Amino acid sequence: MRSTVRSNRRPMRRTHRAIALGITATLATGLLAACGGDDSDDSADGQVTLRVGVFGEFGFEEAGLYDEYMELHPEIKIEQDSITENGDYIAQLRTRLGQNSGLSDIQAIEVGNIAEMTGELPDAWVDFNEYDVDTSHFAPFKVDQATDADGRVIALGTDMGPTSICYRADFFEQAGLPSDRESVSELFAGGWESYIDVGRDFKENAPDGVAYLDSAGGMFNAVVSAYEERYTNEAGEVVYQDSEAVQTAWDLSVEVAEEGLTDQQKQFDDEWGRAFANSAFATVPSCPAWMLSYIRDHAGTDNEGKWDIAQSPAPSNWGGSFIGVPQAGDHIEEAVELAAWLTAPEQQAKLFTERGMYPSSTEAQQSESVMNATDPYFSDAPIGQIFSDAAAQVPSSPIGAYDQVIQEGITDGLLLVDKQGESAESAWDNVVSSLDNALAE
């Protein structure tokens, strides 16, 4: 399933290892002043305040990276603004980019929105090629995704999302199934139909009130993400209605819903988070590295050591983000330097060991701290090895500006089947109708 990276990568004009002191900006000072942000938070003693805009728990703050950077650079103060849901965050970011106002010095960009930024709003972002920023350590597909049609690199990768299957070993044991991660991985090795077959066996002897998996939407994401072409083709055309990936993922997701194998959840709703604490399901079929901290935080200490991680029958990439520097910022040079530091191999390795965010830097991926990482919450699972193996099999897929809208529309349609008992045909018609309207706007 692994493919070669897209061929539109353009040569970098500068590939030095780190940002040099005295960065040379190509933007004229007058232009920067003309499109500067809101009132500065800088102090009278010359300390510069850099604001970082993110969605959710992005990991920089939680891993202590801001504190570390401020200790290294006492002339810099970092403040973070976070919006819980990416949908709300990206709507605000679009508006502010259009107005050149209200922007943070660094803004996060989810992978589902990167094509929109490179395709429709590239000039709103600083081109990292114009600075001495090393991009050679990133996975090539990550640089490609952040490169616009003119070869400008408008964002730097933070992480990627190679997937596994997270499961409750205690529930598998209670259901009379093998529970160690090697045996469970073997159970799933035949493909997603094998995963569903295990679910049928689980259901026959399941602990009271425990479903096999969390949601039909989760099943869809697990399957569709392993294909090279999903919602958009190489020409940038929307193809979800004719996509083999979408059709296969939809059918398998309907199958688990109609057979009553799910807990009928909508991922990332509050109810989904509470379901982890309530031990309501036994598996999460699409469990990227970044989801480990989410499970740990919501399942709580009472469930420590009960979760484990098995290999996915078809590893894929779900999620992963970038950070960029808006042209409208007041402190572009300082922001570029901070962005490069936050995404450098050493910091990406720390984000993985502290927060489970798998590096998009190949140099970080190969580091000893990443390769040897284990997670005591997940029964001491060798997460470095598990996610490294998965990352090696991740396909490189074209990303379109509407991919996130399409994916959310389809998983919302599956919720009609899973939770409301609507027929698959009717739910699909609703999906197409809703997406026709959304894509026409």
Side-chain angles (χ1 to χ4, degrees):
M1 192 60 71
R2 183 170 173 77
S3 66
T4 56
V5 296
R6 285 182 291 164
S7 59
N8 62 345
R9 189 179 182 200
R10 301 182 181 220
M12 302 295 103
R13 279 175 280 178
R14 298 179 183 178
T15 56
H16 300 297
R17 173 65 181 81
I19 293 180
L21 294 176
I23 294 171
T24 304
T26 58
L27 297 171
T29 302
L31 176 60
L32 294 179
C35 55
D38 290 341
D39 295 340
S40 172
D41 296 327
D42 299 345
S43 63
D45 63 1
Q47 187 181 49
V48 171
T49 298
L50 295 178
R51 306 196 69 84
V52 181
V54 302
F55 51 89
E57 294 180 0
F58 211 72
F60 293 151
E61 187 170 49
E62 293 82 356
L65 295 184
Y66 295 152
D67 289 340
E68 185 177 344
Y69 191 82
M70 288 188 286
E71 187 172 341
L72 292 170
H73 301 271
E75 76 281 9
I76 299 293
K77 178 181 178 183
I78 303 172
E79 295 185 355
Q80 178 174 286
D81 302 310
S82 180
I83 295 178
T84 302
E85 297 292 337
N86 183 52
D88 298 330
Y89 169 84
I90 197 66
Q92 182 189 81
L93 179 59
R94 286 191 200 103
T95 300
R96 292 182 174 183
L97 286 171
Q99 297 172 341
N100 269 342
S101 177
L103 292 156
S104 296
D105 298 285
I106 292 175
Q107 294 276 176
I109 307 168
E110 209 273 336
V111 64
N113 304 113
I114 191 66
E116 178 183 2
M117 297 301 155
T118 57
E120 299 178 13
L121 296 165
D123 293 337
W125 300 93
V126 162
D127 176 12
F128 286 98
N129 285 333
E130 299 296 337
Y131 299 80
D132 285 340
V133 176
D134 175 25
T135 58
S136 65
H137 64 89
F138 292 104
F141 82 90
K142 201 73 176 177
V143 180
D144 288 342
Q145 289 175 342
T147 303
D148 72 9
D150 295 324
R152 302 171 70 253
V153 177
I154 67 161
L156 303 175
T158 57
D159 66 316
M160 56 185 287
T163 58
S164 63
I165 296 178
C166 293
Y167 72 101
R168 284 283 298 261
D170 55 332
F171 289 157
F172 269 54
E173 186 174 352
Q174 292 172 42
L177 295 168
S179 59
D180 65 275
R181 72 180 67 94
E182 290 78 14
S183 298
V184 174
S185 296
E186 280 296 315
L187 290 176
F188 300 152
W192 288 113
E193 287 290 0
S194 296
Y195 169 80
I196 295 174
D197 286 341
V198 174
R200 295 184 179 110
D201 293 339
F202 180 88
K203 186 180 179 182
E204 289 184 3
N205 298 293
D208 289 343
V210 179
Y212 179 55
L213 72 157
D214 62 332
S215 65
M219 184 78 203
F220 180 84
N221 288 334
V223 179
V224 76
S225 299
Y227 284 79
E228 295 180 12
E229 183 178 284
R230 293 169 286 183
Y231 314 116
T232 305
N233 64 18
E234 287 284 357
E237 300 166 328
V238 173
V239 296
Y240 78 93
Q241 292 191 60
D242 301 315
S243 164
E244 178 190 358
V246 170
Q247 185 64 61
T248 303
W250 175 269
D251 290 345
L252 292 173
S253 303
V254 167
E255 196 172 330
V256 297
E258 292 183 338
E259 293 193 32
L261 298 179
T262 79
D263 193 43
Q264 302 177 340
Q265 294 290 336
K266 181 178 182 181
Q267 292 189 319
F268 303 105
D269 269 7
D270 291 342
E271 186 180 347
W272 186 62
R274 288 191 291 271
F276 282 103
N278 295 331
S279 301
F281 43 80
T283 68
V284 179
S286 183
C287 192
W290 51 262
M291 194 178 284
L292 302 188
S293 61
Y294 186 95
I295 294 175
R296 184 185 303 111
D297 293 345
H298 287 79
T301 55
D302 289 347
N303 292 311
E304 182 170 0
K306 298 176 181 176
W307 283 92
D308 207 329
I309 306 171
Q311 293 176 335
S312 169
S316 59
N317 184 76
W318 182 18
S321 297
F322 302 81
I323 53 175
V325 175
Q327 292 274 24
D330 288 324
H331 305 293
I332 287 182
E333 293 183 5
E334 292 87 350
V336 168
E337 186 170 3
L338 173 58
W341 187 86
L342 289 170
T343 57
E346 296 82 3
Q347 281 62 254
Q348 291 207 33
K350 188 171 185 178
L351 272 176
F352 180 63
T353 56
E354 295 287 333
R355 300 298 299 172
M357 297 171 63
Y358 191 75
S360 62
S361 163
T362 56
E363 185 176 331
Q365 291 172 11
Q366 295 162 7
S367 68
E368 186 174 340
S369 62
V370 170
M371 291 299 295
N372 295 330
T374 60
D375 194 321
Y377 189 92
F378 290 85
S379 308
D380 290 321
I383 57 173
Q385 190 62 57
I386 290 172
F387 289 112
S388 293
D389 290 346
Q393 301 176 63
V394 167
S396 178
S397 305
I399 297 178
Y402 304 108
D403 282 13
Q404 190 169 50
V405 173
I406 295 169
Q407 179 163 322
E408 290 175 357
I410 293 174
T411 53
D412 284 348
L414 283 167
L415 198 61
L416 298 175
V417 180
D418 200 16
K419 201 163 188 174
Q420 299 182 21
E422 190 163 325
S423 72
E425 293 75 15
S426 174
W428 179 254
D429 288 343
N430 280 332
V431 167
V432 174
S433 177
S434 297
L435 289 179
D436 282 348
N437 292 331
L439 301 185
E441 290 179 354

